[in-house]
Amino acid sequence: MESGMDYHTARALLDWQIELGVTEAIGDAPIDRYALPDTAPKSKKPASPAAAPEKPKQVDPVAIAKSAAQSAGSLDELRAAMDAFEHCELKRGARQLVFADGTAGARVMIIGEAPGRDEDREGKPFVGRAGQLLDRMLAGIDLDRTQNAYITNVLPWRPPQNRDPKPEEIGMMKPFLERHVALAKPEVLVVMGNISCQAVLGKRGITRLRGTWEHALDLPVIPMFHPAYLLRQPQMKREAWADLLELKARLGAG
Ligand code: URA
């Protein structure tokens, strides 16, 4: 691979060659095949059915994710299991795993979408501009990640160019998210934005869903606008504030 080429570019180039019909990898240096000893096989047919090449084994990444997630008995083990999971393409383009931040065991667990550039660099969720707004929103109802809020994302690796996560990526990582919630044991979940609604509630439509309590993963769940959306549409902060007050009332009542 040309030095400096990132994984996704290299992968796209390979896919392109396969589409053109390339079936064999050729080395960088030319080979004089006339100078090679004659090693051509006598017959193209395999000697017997038993000698036929073995088919590559099919792997089911969701089943592997489920089993890895279930075996984790603590948040540290879960982080290690996610770090060792090799079946999600996003891992290859990301700098590092972004697992969680804040106070494990807090009553409130916030679930965002996926790391962006700043999160990928720092290894923590919601540390960029959207994260700073999230912190201000939480402060408005006396929540603080260093004391009483726990934060994670649906996906632990940054998607290339911050593209939307694909449904199969969400499906593959969902067993880890479910286990994460079970181990963190919050009282309520806040799902921020459509990707998080899709992963946790199985539906999208944040404008309609926001502010109304749902039930998923054995917990009350409140959908809210994503802070990145609020940065683009500041006039929607009024709705976000109403949802925060709804969350505060629920915590006060609990
Ligand atoms: N947006 C998210 O959904 N999560 C982050 O961690 C940062 C930005």
Side-chain angles (χ1 to χ4, degrees), residues 119-142:
E119 291 75 20
D120 183 52
R121 197 181 293 141
E122 287 199 32
K124 285 184 186 173
F126 282 106
V127 291
R129 275 186 74 222
Q132 287 155 22
L133 176 56
L134 175 63
D135 284 342
R136 290 200 298 278
M137 290 163 68
L138 295 178
I141 55 165
D142 305 320

Side-chain angles (χ1 to χ4, degrees), residues 157-190:
W157 295 289
R158 180 193 185 192
Q161 281 85 45
N162 296 342
R163 66 153 168 79
D164 274 355
K166 297 179 187 165
E168 60 268 28
E169 290 161 350
I170 297 176
M172 199 185 290
M173 298 312 292
K174 190 171 167 184
F176 291 111
L177 180 65
E178 288 174 346
R179 189 75 185 136
H180 204 157
V181 172
L183 290 168
K185 296 193 183 72
E187 278 175 35
V188 299
L189 292 177
V190 179

Side-chain angles (χ1 to χ4, degrees), residues 30-40:
I31 300 171
D32 180 358
R33 296 196 182 271
Y34 292 106
L36 293 176
D38 182 8
T39 54

Side-chain angles (χ1 to χ4, degrees), residues 112-115 119 125-126 153 226:
E113 180 181 320
E119 291 75 20
F126 282 106
N153 283 311
H226 193 287

Side-chain angles (χ1 to χ4, degrees), residues 32 49 89 193 196 202:
D32 180 358
E89 284 277 292
S196 185

